Amino acid sequence: MGLVGLLIKHRYGVYGLLTYLDLEFALSIGIVLSYNIFFPATRNVILPRQQFVFNLTITLVSIILVVLVLRNIPFGIGQDFYDGTIITFLQMKGRKKVFFYSYVVDVILPGIFFIFSSLIIFYLASFNTNLVWILEFLSSYLFLCNISYIITILTKRPFRAFFLSVVIILLFLGLEFMGIFNYPILLLSDIILLAISYYSFKGASV
């Protein structure tokens, strides 16, 4: 079994990844249903008020998905640091590959699954919106996940990293409602935070 397969089994268990898929399909359906409550006569996102409701729904769903992903970060790689399991992975591959594979398994896979499940649900529901929502979703999703990754690597304590990550999520939610963030700035921040995560992991003691 390769490192990716081992990490997937280690993080999700036998059926954990399928459970994530089920939850993400449910979240995608929830986006359409919640929009339909406000605008039952249309499936198009065109007017400013419609765009606001849709963007708000995407932001809330992003945060829900991040909370689910926190199981993989503080209680995944954080637990690996805490109990020394990370040493086993480092013996199989170098730090660069372990970080890359862990990041893909912990963060990228759930995000990609959500995007594809949403596109499928939107298509089946004849729900018409531009694809900018993908950038808006990724900007906030990766921003929160990257911060959680940094906190987890620096603290190496699963519960401490989890609670600090939850605090950051609540702060982000408040600032998002105030309209401080926009996705181009967040996407740039995502790249910077990912680099910080990588170099923090590369220099972390085990």
Side-chain angles (χ1 to χ4, degrees):
M1 180 182 294
L3 181 58
V4 173
L6 183 62
L7 284 171
I8 290 175
K9 187 175 181 179
H10 180 59
R11 295 285 197 270
Y12 299 99
V14 180
Y15 300 107
L17 204 54
L18 293 177
T19 302
Y20 265 76
L21 283 172
D22 291 340
L23 289 171
E24 289 174 347
F25 269 106
L27 289 174
S28 302
I29 294 171
I31 293 173
V32 176
L33 292 178
S34 61
Y35 184 85
N36 193 57
I37 292 174
F38 290 95
F39 306 102
T42 181
R43 295 292 177 88
N44 299 314
V45 183
I46 300 174
L47 301 177
R49 184 165 176 265
Q50 295 171 341
Q51 194 68 53
F52 172 79
V53 170
F54 180 74
N55 290 343
L56 179 61
T57 306
I58 289 292
T59 299
L60 294 176
V61 168
S62 301
I63 292 173
I64 293 172
L65 186 58
V66 168
V67 173
L68 294 174
V69 171
L70 284 184
R71 176 187 177 276
N72 295 344
I73 303 176
F75 297 117
I77 193 170
Q79 188 66 41
D80 291 339
F81 270 108
Y82 184 72
D83 59 21
T85 309
I86 192 71
I87 296 175
T88 303
F89 298 140
L90 292 176
Q91 289 173 341
M92 296 175 64
K93 301 286 183 180
R95 284 183 180 248
K96 182 177 181 180
K97 289 185 177 180
V98 170
F99 175 82
F100 175 74
Y101 292 155
S102 297
Y103 190 83
V104 168
V105 170
D106 295 341
V107 178
I108 301 299
L109 282 182
I112 289 177
F113 287 159
F114 173 73
I115 291 173
F116 278 111
S117 64
S118 296
L119 290 174
I120 292 171
I121 295 300
F122 290 175
Y123 174 76
L124 294 176
S126 299
F127 191 74
N128 298 316
T129 182
N130 58 55
L131 296 180
V132 174
W133 73 266
I134 296 177
L135 295 177
E136 294 174 346
F137 161 73
L138 286 175
S139 63
S140 55
Y141 172 75
L142 293 177
F143 180 80
L144 294 171
C145 287
N146 288 341
I147 288 180
S148 181
Y149 236 78
I150 294 171
I151 292 173
T152 301
I153 293 170
L154 293 179
T155 61
K156 302 183 183 68
R157 295 292 186 273
F159 286 99
R160 188 180 303 173
F162 176 78
F163 287 118
L164 288 174
S165 298
V166 170
V167 170
I168 294 296
I169 289 173
L170 294 176
L171 289 173
F172 176 84
L173 185 59
L175 294 173
E176 181 71 20
F177 281 132
M178 294 171 61
I180 294 178
F181 293 122
N182 57 66
Y183 77 87
I185 294 177
L186 285 179
L187 286 173
L188 178 60
S189 301
D190 294 339
I191 298 172
I192 297 172
L193 291 173
L194 178 58
I196 295 174
S197 299
Y198 169 70
Y199 286 107
S200 298
F201 183 87
K202 194 173 180 181
S205 59
V206 294

